[in-house]
């Protein structure tokens, strides 16, 4: 009996490995096709600087770390010397991280409140429907007037982007809580509204809340780069500055840097998400 079980387990493991290997090979093949198309497009485009090739972009990426740049840390006011690429990425993070965390906190909080409390939802739903369609970048003019072209203004734009994504994740999660769960909790003695929210609604809505936050991690990178195109220091500003000087390979290198930063954050959050939702 034990031999049969071990054989079945080994067969399942081998099948899983083959499936994963096939997926990785397909992914690698897609990446190679993309690089080939990119290389052909770069070779056939004139003037050549309009579409820098893969090798030129890689060299430009390496050059980002060949020199050092001093930046000022907000609030602390102290200077920090880093490789140029990391220095500009740090400038972006100075407004990306506060905007993301504050926007997510406020969005999740309001989403939970409106999704759980019908009267509160009735009061604020018309206002939400009016404000939601406004793109985050449309607030740039107000951010410049209110905060100036610096970290605070860019953080405000990121805040707006993160707020709505997390709001709807939390709102939809709580609104979709099964009545069977709340009825079962009531029969077990959970009567207070706050206790029901804490013990039933939040665990049930957690997958959607976390999915909303993970989505905002990627979307806010798009928002923050757009906000920096208007002059706030960071990677977005360096992209437009390099393109103004026709250094398109440098622009692509900074795009690579954004992709790597997002990939690290996404992988880290996925690991955290699996631990938080291990009960599923």
């Amino acid at each position: 009996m034990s031999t049969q079980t071990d054989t079945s387990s080994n067969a399942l493991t081998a099948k899983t490995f083959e499936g994963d290997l096939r997926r990785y090979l397909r992914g690698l093949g897609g990446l190679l096709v993309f690089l080939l198309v990119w290389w052909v497009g770069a070779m056939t485009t004139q003037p050549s600087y309009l579409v820098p090739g893969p090798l030129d972009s890689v060299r430009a990426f390496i050059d980002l770390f060949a020199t050092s740049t001093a930046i000022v840390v907000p609030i602390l006011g102290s200077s920090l010397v880093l490789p140029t690429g990391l220095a500009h990425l740090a400038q972006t993070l100075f407004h990306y991280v506060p905007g993301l965390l504050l926007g997510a906190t406020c969005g999740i909080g309001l989403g939970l409140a409106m999704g759980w409390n019908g009267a509160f939802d009735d009061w604020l739903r018309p206002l939400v429907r009016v404000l939601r369609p406004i793109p985050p970048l449309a607030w740039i003019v107000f951010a410049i007037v209110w905060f100036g072209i610096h970290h605070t203004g860019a953080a405000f734009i990121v805040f707006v982007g993160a707020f709505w994504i997390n709001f709807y994740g939390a709102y939809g999660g709580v609104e979709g809580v099964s009545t069977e769960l709340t009825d079962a909790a009531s029969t077990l003695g959970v009567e207070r509204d706050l206790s029901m929210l804490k013990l039933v609604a939040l665990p049930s809505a957690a997958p959607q809340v976390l999915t909303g936050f993970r989505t905002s991690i990627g979307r806010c990178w798009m928002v923050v780069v757009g906000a920096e195109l208007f002059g706030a220091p960071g990677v977005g500003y360096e992209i437009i500055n390099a393109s103004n000087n026709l250094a398109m390979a440098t622009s692509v290198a900074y795009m690579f840097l954004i992709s790597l930063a997002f990939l690290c954050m996404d992988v880290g959050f996925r690991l955290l998400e699996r631990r938080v939702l291990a009960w599923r």
Side-chain angles (χ1 to χ4, degrees), residues 61-94:
F61 183 83
I62 295 174
D63 288 342
L64 295 182
F65 302 90
T67 59
S68 297
T69 300
I71 58 174
V72 178
V73 180
I75 300 177
L76 298 179
S78 58
S79 297
L80 185 64
V81 178
L82 294 170
T84 300
L86 290 181
H88 295 310
L89 180 62
Q91 288 178 318
T92 294
L93 291 175
F94 289 154

Side-chain angles (χ1 to χ4, degrees), residues 8-253:
S8 300
S9 178
N10 292 335
L12 180 61
T13 301
K15 186 176 181 180
T16 302
F17 175 77
E18 291 177 1
D20 291 340
L21 181 61
R22 190 177 297 112
R23 289 175 54 200
Y24 291 137
L25 289 176
R26 288 172 180 170
L28 180 61
L31 181 60
L32 291 176
V33 170
F34 169 75
L35 290 175
L36 178 62
V37 172
W38 182 9
W39 179 76
V40 172
M43 292 293 293
T44 55
T45 301
Q46 294 296 329
S48 59
Y49 64 79
L50 291 178
V51 181
L55 291 179
D56 291 335
S57 300
V58 170
R59 293 191 191 99
F61 183 83
I62 295 174
D63 288 342
L64 295 182
F65 302 90
T67 59
S68 297
T69 300
I71 58 174
V72 178
V73 180
I75 300 177
L76 298 179
S78 58
S79 297
L80 185 64
V81 178
L82 294 170
T84 300
L86 290 181
H88 295 310
L89 180 62
Q91 288 178 318
T92 294
L93 291 175
F94 289 154
H95 39 260
Y96 172 86
V97 173
L100 173 66
L101 295 181
L102 187 58
T105 301
C106 295
I108 291 172
L110 185 62
L112 293 176
M114 289 181 61
W116 186 251
N117 190 302
F120 194 52
D121 185 32
D122 292 338
W123 274 95
L124 293 183
R125 188 186 304 171
L127 180 60
V128 167
R129 289 182 174 177
V130 170
L131 295 178
R132 177 61 187 94
I134 302 174
L137 294 181
W139 292 94
I140 285 180
V141 291
F142 293 97
I144 293 175
V145 172
W146 292 342
F147 308 109
I149 304 176
H150 208 263
H151 296 298
T152 306
F156 172 74
I157 301 301
V158 177
F159 167 88
V160 174
F163 176 87
W164 290 115
I165 297 172
N166 287 278
F167 167 80
Y168 276 106
Y171 182 86
V174 173
E175 195 177 39
V177 174
S178 173
T179 55
E180 296 179 357
L181 291 176
T182 56
D183 291 343
S186 297
T187 60
L188 293 174
V190 180
E191 298 179 355
R192 294 178 57 190
D193 199 52
L194 187 60
S195 298
M196 187 73 73
L197 176 63
K198 178 181 177 181
L199 299 175
V200 179
L202 283 179
S204 179
Q208 283 188 254
V209 172
L210 293 176
T211 298
F213 185 78
R214 183 184 173 196
T215 303
S216 68
I217 289 176
R219 292 284 181 87
C220 285
W221 273 109
M222 304 177 191
V223 173
V224 74
V225 170
E228 291 174 348
L229 295 179
F230 291 85
V235 174
Y237 175 78
E238 295 303 320
I239 289 175
I240 193 68
N241 186 51
S243 66
N244 288 336
N245 294 312
L246 299 181
M248 305 305 295
T250 302
S251 294
V252 174

Side-chain angles (χ1 to χ4, degrees), residues 267-278:
V267 170
F269 186 75
R270 288 186 66 182
L271 295 175
L272 176 63
E273 185 180 29
R274 289 177 183 175
R275 173 166 291 190
V276 173
L277 300 179

